[in-house]
Structures are given as structure tokens and as C-alpha cells.
Amino acid sequence: MKTTDRRELPKGKVSLTALGLGCAQMGNLLKLMPFADARDTADAAWDAGIRYFDTAPFYGFTRSERRLGAILDERQRSDFTISTKVGRLMVPDADVGAEAEGYVNPCPFHQVYDYSYDAILRSFDASQQRLGMVRFDILYVHDIGRVTHGEKHEHHWNQLTKGGGFKALSELRQDGRIGGFGLGVNEWEAVSEALDECDLDVSMLAGRYTLLEQESLGLLQKCLDRGARIVVAGAFNSGVLAGTNNFNYGDAPAEIIARVQKLRSVAEEFGVAIQAAALQFGMAHPAVVSCVSGARNARQIRSNVEWFEAEIPTAFWQALRERGLVAEGTPLPGLAA
């Protein structure tokens, strides 16, 4: 598998490179990222053949979109695929602190969740201005779900459904301002419920279909049945599959550490970098069209590409299956489900 391999969405309007660049780090996620590093990272991704870039208004409170737009400004628009997100309106706020929601030195805005018809269109218009683009290939509804919103979930879900959020997205797709839409979430259940409400094209699922987690297998089959697809993000499960102790944006519990160690032991047995296995795992499922991974510098881009294209013996995947380290029915590279 190569970074430059392309997979199309079923309706044929959008194609994505197998490996994409997630641009949350461009918004100073967890630590500062100078603009020069952001540019070098994107240039390294381009040089490696990556042509799919994902951003969001929330990343750095608009900083990621503005930076990515500037970086891509001299590229031909037809040469790359871009996705951004809706669901949060960014409101000017001079009192935003030095760190907020995990972003260092965020731009002077605060977020207001709003998934209604008018808010979707307002968010889309604002992203057009920040990115300097008229059309987006994909628009994701950002962070909606019961875990995310708790007691406010029904209110926000009603905005998206009864309040016209999905209607706005459908209109944007119909008139060609976007190529397709779906959800961009950490909760696979939200995607499943959305499929029953609307004709989704593609959804970004972060951390829920990985070498470590396969509870979403039923959702991926549902996507295939409904003509929808999945972009896998968070393939390292916040870092625990890449050598850190982070899982789901916090410290990894003991049972997760133990499971990772079992996976790592098999990887060492077969001389496989666990990072390579993590990046390649999701691409074996026919519902998955791309794997998006973030990076802070050109070196990390080159590492991701090397892992993504590394040769992994089929015997490694077979061993994971035989030892019960992946869920039954999980498609694996080179093996039937």
C-alpha cells in the first residue's frame, strides 16, 4: 500500500489519498507550533504524495484553518482534497486565555455549539473566508454524540435533525459547494444513528476503529450497506500505540496498557513496528477510504509515511487473529475477514 493510492467515495465525486494529514497540530494542539513548522510539515506531506488535508474551525480556535489556507494558497485547487467541519461557531472573545480546550495561545474566539440550519451555513461561510476557498470536498459535523454533550445531547441532535442541520448540508451538497458530508466524531454510535437520519457520504471516526478497538465493526458494515464510507483518524489511540501513555486524551488505564503490551509483543516477535501496524490496520476494511494522521514537523511526516508503506508479513496479522487480539470478523491486510 502506498500513501498516494486513492480511494473514491461511492458517488464518485471525491477521491482521497490513502494517507491524509490531520491539521489539529497547526492550531497549537498541546504546544506551540510555529508557522514555519506548519508550512514545512505540509510541504513534506505534499512531497510524500499526501493530497488529503483535514482541518476544523475548532483547531486553535480558527488558527488551523487560516494557516492551512495560506499554505495551500499557491497550490492548484484541483490537486488536493480538503475537509473541514461544522457544529461550532467561533465567536470573538478578547478574554480567551493562554490555553483553552487543549490549545496553546488560541486565537481570540470562543466556541458555541450550534448544529442548526442557519449555524451550519454560517460556519461554512466563515470557513470559506479563512481557507480562501469556495468549495470543500467534505464537510464533517464535528463532535456530536451522547458522550460529548451529555444531558444536552438531545438538544443538539434535534438541531441537526429537526432543526435543519442535515438539510443545510444536503443543500450544500446538492448545489456543489461541497462534495459530500458526514460526521467527524469519537463516538461510532453517533454515526450509526446519523445514517438512519440522512444520506451520509463519509464520516471521520477518531480512535474507534483501530488496532486496539474494533467495537465499531457493525457500523463499518452498515456504512457499506448504505453506500457510506469511513476515514480513520486517531490510529494511535491518542498515542498509546505510538509509545506514549496517552489514551482517549488522558492517561491510559491498566487494562489498556496490558492490551497494548500484548500487541507490542507480537509485533516484536515478527519484527514489525507497532506504529506501522496501527496505521495500516484500518485500511484493510472495505468501508475505509483513508487514514488521517497528524504531525508536528517534516520528520514526523516522513516517519508516518515510512510506517504506512512498510512491508508487514501476513503471518503477523494471522498471529493477532489466532491469539484473539482482534475481534472476530475483522478484515486484516492480506487475509479474508
Side-chain angles (χ1 to χ4, degrees):
M1 182 165 48
K2 296 295 183 183
T3 296
T4 53
D5 291 347
R6 282 186 173 267
R7 296 185 181 181
E8 285 193 351
L9 300 187
K11 294 186 178 71
K13 294 181 180 179
V14 179
S15 71
L16 303 91
T17 48
L19 188 62
L21 178 64
C23 298
Q25 284 85 351
M26 287 189 187
N28 293 341
L29 179 63
L30 300 180
K31 64 181 182 179
L32 289 172
M33 182 183 196
F35 180 75
D37 288 354
R39 181 180 290 279
D40 288 348
T41 300
D43 286 346
W46 192 276
D47 291 344
I50 292 173
R51 294 294 184 271
Y52 173 37
F53 301 86
D54 175 72
T55 184
F58 176 61
Y59 299 160
F61 295 15
T62 74
R63 175 169 278 113
S64 175
E65 280 192 329
R66 292 190 297 109
R67 284 181 163 181
L68 184 60
I71 291 167
L72 293 176
D73 183 58
E74 295 182 357
R75 306 287 186 183
Q76 287 293 323
R77 179 63 186 87
S78 59
D79 289 345
F80 60 87
T81 302
I82 191 166
S83 58
T84 190
K85 304 180 180 73
V86 292
R88 289 174 165 98
L89 293 175
M90 306 309 298
V91 180
D93 184 353
D95 295 325
V96 172
E99 184 173 352
E101 302 286 342
Y103 290 94
V104 177
N105 189 31
C107 292
F109 299 86
H110 72 261
Q111 61 172 342
V112 175
Y113 287 109
D114 196 332
Y115 303 88
S116 66
Y117 180 91
D118 288 341
I120 296 296
L121 295 180
R122 287 171 58 195
S123 181
F124 171 76
D125 289 346
S127 289
Q128 285 180 305
Q129 296 290 333
R130 289 189 290 263
L131 283 159
M133 301 176 194
V134 173
R135 182 183 184 275
F136 304 136
D137 299 286
I138 302 169
L139 208 54
Y140 296 120
V141 178
H142 203 185
D143 288 343
I144 191 163
R146 287 182 168 79
V147 175
T148 300
H149 291 303
E151 63 183 15
K152 295 183 178 179
H153 170 71
E154 292 303 324
H155 168 71
H156 292 309
W157 190 253
N158 286 336
Q159 287 182 322
L160 188 59
T161 54
K162 299 175 184 177
F166 278 141
K167 179 183 177 183
L169 289 162
S170 296
E171 290 177 358
L172 289 170
R173 179 177 62 189
Q174 185 174 2
D175 67 20
R177 284 182 284 175
I178 61 174
F181 70 86
L183 270 56
V185 292
N186 297 286
E187 303 174 46
W188 65 264
E189 297 90 343
V191 180
S192 183
E193 292 179 29
L195 283 167
D196 295 331
E197 296 281 352
C198 192
D199 178 24
L200 305 185
D201 299 283
V202 58
S203 293
M204 177 173 284
L205 189 60
R208 300 287 79 83
Y209 187 67
T210 70
L211 188 63
L212 193 58
E213 296 185 50
Q214 298 98 48
E215 290 183 6
S216 60
L217 268 172
L219 165 67
L220 269 65
Q221 182 58 52
K222 187 174 182 177
C223 287
L224 283 177
D225 295 341
R226 302 289 180 87
R229 294 295 182 264
I230 291 290
V231 169
V232 169
F236 297 139
N237 280 107
S238 296
V240 73
L241 286 173
T244 76
N245 196 46
N246 296 326
F247 174 73
N248 272 4
Y249 313 107
D251 292 335
E255 62 270 20
I256 293 296
I257 295 295
R259 182 170 175 78
V260 170
Q261 186 53 51
K262 290 179 181 178
L263 292 167
R264 190 177 297 278
S265 294
V266 179
E268 292 173 352
E269 178 182 338
F270 287 89
V272 171
I274 194 168
Q275 297 95 330
L279 286 175
Q280 294 183 32
F281 166 81
M283 297 302 296
H285 200 291
V288 175
V289 289
S290 185
C291 174
V292 165
S293 186
R296 293 194 177 279
N297 51 51
R299 177 183 55 80
Q300 289 185 358
I301 285 289
R302 289 189 286 269
S303 293
N304 286 346
V305 170
E306 182 178 347
W307 288 326
F308 190 76
E309 298 185 346
E311 292 288 339
I312 296 180
T314 303
F316 163 76
W317 302 110
Q318 185 65 42
L320 293 184
R321 177 173 290 174
E322 291 174 352
R323 299 177 198 185
L325 293 176
V326 293
E328 185 176 352
T330 299
L332 294 170
L335 299 174

